[in-house]
Amino acid sequence: GGLIGIAAYDNNLSGELPNSLGNCSSLLIVRVNGNRLSGCISAGLWTSTNLTLLMLSDNSFTGQLPRTLAPSLLRLEISNNKFSGEISTGLSSWKHLTVFSASNNLFVGTIPQELTTLSQLIRYCLMDVADHSESQSKPTLGFNFCQTWFFTKPHCFGLVKE
């Protein structure tokens, strides 16, 4: 046995996620988007061995993104939070991601070139971290495998694989 998932989305919950979630090696899914949750995400949760889905969007989570993610993580959605700092380079553990959505946070710096080498990525949305103005040119991204770009918000860009 063991906890395999948390589905508590759009419930107006407040507070912090317990650090002990990072100790649940059987955890596959954490879907707590659309609440009023805050605080930092424990290092153990980011890297939980069997985690495939981490949906934290539309809360008030803080902290920085780790360089290392769960080895089986396919979907990471953290938009509309208060995550900050730079997005690290050396993202080899992100290689299985199919969805990465991180718009409307407080990131700074440039978008790591390594994101362009994630061959499984079919959807990507990230605020232009270099400058929040619309006049700022977007970084050149070499997603050779994508055929269609979509724009979901003025400062958000991404791709869809056809």
Side-chain angles (χ1 to χ4, degrees):
L3 182 66
I4 60 168
I6 297 172
Y9 54 94
D10 298 327
N11 279 301
N12 206 28
L13 300 174
S14 61
E16 298 184 7
L17 290 178
N19 288 338
S20 59
L21 281 179
N23 300 328
C24 298
S25 61
S26 57
L27 196 60
L28 299 173
I29 296 169
V30 175
R31 186 172 179 194
V32 294
N33 50 301
N35 287 294
R36 294 181 299 128
L37 298 170
S38 60
C40 291
I41 304 301
S42 72
L45 184 56
W46 290 114
T47 59
S48 185
T49 306
N50 294 304
L51 191 66
T52 60
L53 177 74
L54 186 56
M55 296 175 71
L56 306 173
S57 295
D58 303 312
N59 282 290
S60 294
F61 290 117
T62 58
Q64 296 186 342
L65 288 182
R67 177 178 289 191
T68 303
L69 293 175
S72 53
L73 192 63
L74 301 174
R75 188 171 182 157
L76 177 60
E77 297 187 21
I78 59 167
S79 293
N80 302 313
N81 278 289
K82 296 177 182 176
F83 289 108
S84 60
E86 292 188 9
I87 298 176
S88 301
T89 57
L91 307 174
S92 61
S93 72
W94 295 34
K95 63 186 173 191
H96 297 293
L97 277 185
T98 59
V99 173
F100 176 50
S101 180
S103 61
N104 297 317
N105 279 287
L106 303 173
F107 296 119
V108 296
T110 58
I111 297 170
Q113 189 65 27
E114 288 93 339
L115 283 176
T116 67
T117 64
L118 299 176
S119 61
Q120 301 298 311
L121 199 63
I122 57 174
R123 181 168 170 242
Y124 168 87
C125 186
L126 181 65
M127 181 185 296
D128 182 353
V129 295
D131 186 344
H132 298 286
S133 69
E134 289 187 45
S135 62
Q136 172 71 25
S137 62
K138 304 291 186 251
T140 304
L141 298 173
F143 288 102
N144 297 329
F145 56 89
C146 70
Q147 299 172 355
T148 305
W149 284 91
F150 71 94
F151 295 85
T152 57
K153 293 188 177 185
H155 303 293
C156 186
F157 55 95
L159 56 94
V160 176
K161 194 173 188 179
E162 289 188 298

